[in-house]
Amino acid sequence: MDFRELERDNMGRCRLNSPVPAVCRKEPCVLGVDEAGRGPVLGPMVYAICYCPLSRLADLEALKVADSKTLSESERDRLFAKMEEDGDFVGWALDVLSPNLISTSMLGRVKYNLNSLSHDTAVGLVQHALDQGVKVVQVFVDTVGLPETYQERLQQRFPSIEVTVKAKADALYPVVSAASICAKVARDQAVKNWQFVEKLQDLDTNYGSGYPNDPKTKVWLRKHVEPVFGFPQFVRFSWRTAQSILEKEAESILWHGRAPRKVAVSGVSPVAGSGSDCGGKPGDVPGRIRTCTSGETDFSTVDRSAQYQHHGELPWLQA
């Protein structure tokens, strides 16, 4: 997998894909959809599709693909390498969603929850395969939310394709197992090679699993919280674990004056309600440094000193 595009800009999303096997443009194909990294507070979420002709499904099963969660890292890497070797009949595509994109979506002025983001990403990848000329006739999806609702939505979007959405589909359908392996291998690689734009000193890369209940992850979060600007962009600011740490470790601020429409900067957001809630004038913007990446401004391409300098120029951010 070539992650150079993600390494150049890990603030949004990045799509990667294999070459489309010629046979997949000629014969009816089955396609599986799965994700990796939905739950962690650290790092990206990766959605993946894997597809092959129906006539070669037995060959895919012969690779002994399985739910990626049941495999060791070395086993996943070996199986992904084998799928790459079998590129004459197996294809895949990925959508890597950055922590910043996830949190911006969830905490923006117009809420966009994780389920909706997941559903739309899956739809986008299926459409991507169709746009590449893959003759998709069956789709199997590991569910997010209620499988019946999700399946109905996908079936309406792709009426000519037979869609099946199931819980634990990655353990039931080999083509979904293959997609789960692609997603997990990609996420692991993205996390290991993450490019921190903040130029942090004494950066500790011992993140643990990245899941909120992992003690190593919690230690890492506490070590790398900045009292004014919050966490690096590697952290999903919208996760409750991150919010709880900021509430304890971050500085409280109160500022007066009507904020411009696009006020929230990366890691900083007004949250405490209207100015009248805390004794200010209506239109004043009280708040506390909190876990948010909503708004249009980000400082992903500058170092910490530049961030401080820029923040000092914002008239509405006065301690």
Side-chain angles (χ1 to χ4, degrees):
M1 294 181 187
D2 185 354
F3 275 92
R4 283 177 294 181
E5 180 182 346
L6 180 66
E7 291 169 0
R8 285 193 297 269
D9 181 7
N10 57 22
M11 295 291 293
R13 67 198 308 159
C14 173
R15 182 169 288 171
L16 306 172
N17 57 263
S18 70
V20 177
V23 67
C24 292
R25 290 193 170 106
K26 299 175 182 177
E27 296 187 17
C29 291
V30 59
L31 180 148
V33 183
D34 202 7
E35 53 76 26
R38 178 178 166 84
V41 66
L42 301 179
M45 177 172 69
V46 179
Y47 256 81
I49 58 171
C50 187
Y51 54 86
C52 72
L54 286 168
S55 64
R56 303 293 300 271
L57 188 56
D59 295 327
L60 181 64
E61 293 177 8
L63 298 179
K64 305 296 184 185
V65 292
D67 176 5
S68 65
K69 295 185 288 296
T70 68
L71 302 171
S72 68
E73 183 175 358
S74 62
E75 288 173 324
R76 292 191 297 266
D77 290 343
R78 178 185 61 81
L79 286 168
F80 180 76
K82 183 61 178 172
M83 285 190 281
E84 289 278 76
E85 291 174 10
D86 292 333
D88 61 325
F89 75 94
V90 178
W92 54 265
L94 306 169
D95 206 346
V96 184
L97 282 64
S98 72
N100 182 69
L101 174 67
I102 294 169
S103 292
T104 298
S105 299
M106 295 177 67
L107 294 176
R109 292 176 184 269
V110 177
K111 305 301 180 186
Y112 187 29
N113 65 40
L114 193 61
N115 279 7
S116 296
L117 180 61
S118 298
H119 294 168
D120 289 345
T121 301
V123 167
L125 281 170
V126 175
Q127 186 62 54
H128 175 71
L130 295 171
D131 292 343
Q132 293 291 305
V134 180
K135 295 186 67 174
V136 181
V137 297
Q138 291 183 352
V139 169
F140 294 92
V141 185
D142 194 26
T143 194
V144 172
L146 293 174
E148 299 81 8
T149 304
Y150 193 5
Q151 180 169 317
E152 182 180 1
R153 178 182 180 186
L154 287 171
Q155 195 64 78
Q156 289 178 349
R157 180 63 177 79
F158 303 106
S160 64
I161 297 175
E162 180 185 343
V163 177
T164 301
V165 178
K166 294 276 190 182
K168 307 297 183 183
D170 48 1
L172 297 173
Y173 306 105
V175 73
V176 183
S177 301
S180 77
I181 291 169
C182 294
K184 181 60 174 168
V185 168
R187 175 177 153 83
D188 287 348
Q189 185 173 336
V191 168
K192 285 180 182 178
N193 299 320
W194 191 260
Q195 300 296 308
F196 284 83
V197 299
E198 294 84 5
K199 302 188 187 333
L200 302 176
Q201 294 181 350
D202 302 321
L203 175 64
D204 179 8
T205 56
N206 186 13
Y207 318 124
S209 67
Y211 280 87
N213 60 353
D214 186 331
K216 286 186 178 180
T217 300
K218 290 181 179 179
V219 168
W220 190 91
L221 286 168
R222 291 190 180 96
K223 180 177 180 180
H224 292 287
V225 62
E226 209 285 329
V228 175
F229 295 105
F231 293 106
Q233 297 287 351
F234 187 56
V235 178
R236 300 180 191 178
F237 295 95
S238 52
W239 260 233
R240 184 59 200 167
T241 301
Q243 292 182 353
S244 296
I245 292 174
L246 277 179
E247 286 169 355
K248 295 176 182 177
E249 304 292 338
E251 297 293 336
S252 297
I253 63 171
L254 177 66
W255 58 90
H256 295 279
R258 187 175 299 278
R261 291 184 65 187
K262 297 178 180 179
V263 297
V265 295
S266 180
V268 181
S269 176
V271 295
S274 68
S276 57
D277 292 338
C278 60
K281 303 184 300 299
D284 286 349
V285 186
R288 178 179 177 83
I289 301 300
R290 289 288 295 278
T291 57
C292 172
T293 54
S294 60
E296 301 296 326
T297 305
D298 73 74
F299 301 95
S300 61
T301 59
V302 296
D303 61 21
R304 285 286 182 180
S305 62
Q307 288 183 3
Y308 279 105
Q309 181 180 7
H310 196 130
H311 275 296
E313 296 169 0
L314 296 178
W316 52 271
L317 184 59
Q318 299 292 330

